[in-house]
Amino acid sequence: IAESAMAKPGSALYGITNGADPLYIEVPRFSTLFIDQRTPASNADNTVTVTLAVNYHLASRSTLTISGLTGSQTASTASLGITSTSHILGTTGSWTQNLGQLILSSHAGGLAAGLSCTVSFTVKNAASDQLSPSVSISAAIEDGNSHAVGSIPPTAMPKSGAALHGVAQGADPLRVQVPVFTIKSIQQSTPVSGAINTFTMTLMSNYDLALGSTVTISGLTGSATADSAGLPITSTSGLFDATGLWDQSVGQMVLRAASGG
């Protein structure tokens, strides 16, 4: 038989164009990758969101492993609740606290090559300040019949480095800052008995107090001013509502941040 060219199928395999052709090679990789968080506040329940896409089809039982999310207060569990695009990655993942590791498994038809998938899960932030740790993600690719096809080694996950709620790099995963008042002073206009007395407070915090946030001043007991749901106040640039909630018995004033905070 004389030498002759062999026909190739030219068909896609595992989402790779011409992937069925002999010795056609494409390195598995993440084509989209990003991670951020909802809040950097200490002790807060914090939603971490990962957006990813892979150049290979991650068939059923393929796994994704996110590592390095250290410092949370969420205990290890085999079933940490998650949400994912079209439930492609199911509804739970395996969480290991000390490693900050979450293992996800593809379900049903799996994650198609090139399809962007968003995964969200909630952990409890640390009680003290911390910088965002280095986070990576890897993949073990299967064919849907429990046969390994390939893998993606641990890959660093990009972060935005953006401020969030006034905290530098607050959008980066597990960046934590304890909210505090950096300036907090109070004084009065007169000590004369029976006089109308104006209190002046100066406040500054290390965290944005957005619309609806409240500041509570307590312990101003001994005044003759009756309870009021609308005690008039003035604030710099109208940052707080024009009235506050006053409770005479405990000497408590509740202020509510206005638009802009």
Side-chain angles (χ1 to χ4, degrees), residues 181-190 197-204 215-221 223 231 233-234 246 250-255:
F181 287 108
T182 54
I183 297 175
K184 47 188 185 298
S185 66
I186 185 170
Q187 63 183 27
Q188 65 179 6
S189 63
T190 179
N197 190 8
T198 299
F199 290 102
T200 300
M201 293 165 288
T202 303
L203 301 173
M204 179 182 290
V215 173
T216 301
I217 299 103
S218 301
L220 293 171
T221 54
S223 84
L231 191 68
I233 71 163
T234 60
W246 170 251
V250 292
Q252 180 173 287
M253 182 69 163
V254 180
L255 309 176

Side-chain angles (χ1 to χ4, degrees), residues 43-181:
N43 291 313
D45 289 333
N46 184 16
T47 300
V48 177
T49 300
V50 174
T51 302
L52 60 90
V54 186
N55 66 336
Y56 264 73
H57 178 212
L58 300 186
S60 178
R61 297 184 184 179
S62 297
T63 58
L64 292 164
T65 301
I66 302 166
S67 301
L69 289 169
T70 53
S72 84
Q73 298 186 63
T74 299
S76 297
T77 174
S79 56
L80 183 72
I82 72 160
T83 59
S84 63
T85 303
S86 301
H87 306 296
I88 290 171
L89 298 175
T91 57
T92 62
S94 177
W95 169 253
T96 304
Q97 182 182 18
N98 66 323
L99 300 176
Q101 183 178 86
L102 181 64
I103 300 176
L104 307 171
S105 179
S106 59
H107 286 231
L111 177 59
L115 178 67
S116 181
C117 177
T118 298
V119 185
S120 295
F121 52 95
T122 299
V123 294
K124 186 174 183 179
N125 281 347
S128 56
D129 292 353
Q130 78 170 30
L131 297 176
S132 175
S134 297
V135 185
S136 64
I137 185 170
S138 60
I141 306 170
E142 295 200 0
D143 64 357
N145 294 304
S146 299
H147 299 138
V149 171
S151 63
I152 304 176
T155 304
M157 301 196 73
K159 312 169 190 177
S160 71
L164 181 63
H165 303 311
V167 177
Q169 299 177 334
D172 291 351
L174 292 187
R175 164 73 167 105
V176 176
Q177 182 166 292
V178 179
V180 296
F181 287 108

Side-chain angles (χ1 to χ4, degrees), residues 214-246:
T214 59
V215 173
T216 301
I217 299 103
S218 301
L220 293 171
T221 54
S223 84
T225 299
D227 291 351
S228 174
L231 191 68
I233 71 163
T234 60
S235 61
T236 302
S237 302
L239 294 177
F240 289 95
D241 288 348
T243 60
L245 176 63
W246 170 251

